[in-house]
Amino acid sequence: MLVRLLYASRAAAEVTQDIIDAILKSSRKHNPELGITGVLCHGGDVYMQVLEGGRDAVNTLYNTIVRDTRHRDIALLHYEEVPERKFAGWTMGQVNLAKVNPSVLLKYSDRPVLDPFAASGRASMALLEELIATAQIVGRV
């Protein structure tokens, strides 16, 4: 059974490109063997990540992330059983929201910045779908 999980968190320390690179490297190394695909969005001190895969694998990975000291204020935004993946082409895609047109963010939020804590899970998923449609997710494998 496939599931899709979307969560948001705040970084416990300053987010640097080295931190993002380390997260992506680890994800891209381990996710294929776990059958997990997804996308990591980051902007400022906020992360938003969608994970897709088998229920046990996704739940186990999410529980690992919850215990990761690099994250704080973790919020589960959306969780559903799905018939197919939306992010099948990415072992872990990446969106640096500083490079996204602010009008795209404003379409799904009250301000032109990533704030999944103030938006619904449905709006956050719609934003991710638009980022796919406009080819703003990098790291397709």
Side-chain angles (χ1 to χ4, degrees), residues 92-122:
M92 189 49 60
Q94 172 193 8
V95 177
N96 180 345
L97 290 168
K99 297 180 180 183
V100 172
N101 185 327
S103 66
V104 173
L105 299 173
L106 189 58
K107 183 175 177 181
Y108 299 99
S109 182
D110 59 345
R111 296 177 301 135
V113 295
L114 176 64
D115 188 1
F117 299 99
S120 71
R122 183 173 293 188

Side-chain angles (χ1 to χ4, degrees), residues 28-94:
R28 290 172 179 159
K29 179 180 178 182
H30 298 289
N31 286 357
E33 66 196 39
L34 300 172
I36 292 178
T37 56
V39 173
L40 173 68
C41 297
H42 55 91
D45 72 338
V46 175
Y47 295 112
M48 184 172 71
Q49 187 173 37
V50 63
L51 303 170
E52 295 178 319
R55 181 173 41 206
D56 290 342
V58 168
N59 291 348
T60 298
L61 179 56
Y62 178 68
N63 285 318
T64 300
I65 291 166
V66 167
R67 292 187 304 272
D68 188 327
T69 58
R70 294 176 292 186
H71 298 273
R72 63 181 177 82
D73 303 334
I74 298 173
L76 181 62
L77 303 175
H78 184 79
Y79 186 94
E80 67 177 327
E81 295 175 356
V82 295
E84 63 186 29
R85 298 171 192 253
K86 289 186 181 181
F87 304 94
W90 295 276
T91 54
M92 189 49 60
Q94 172 193 8

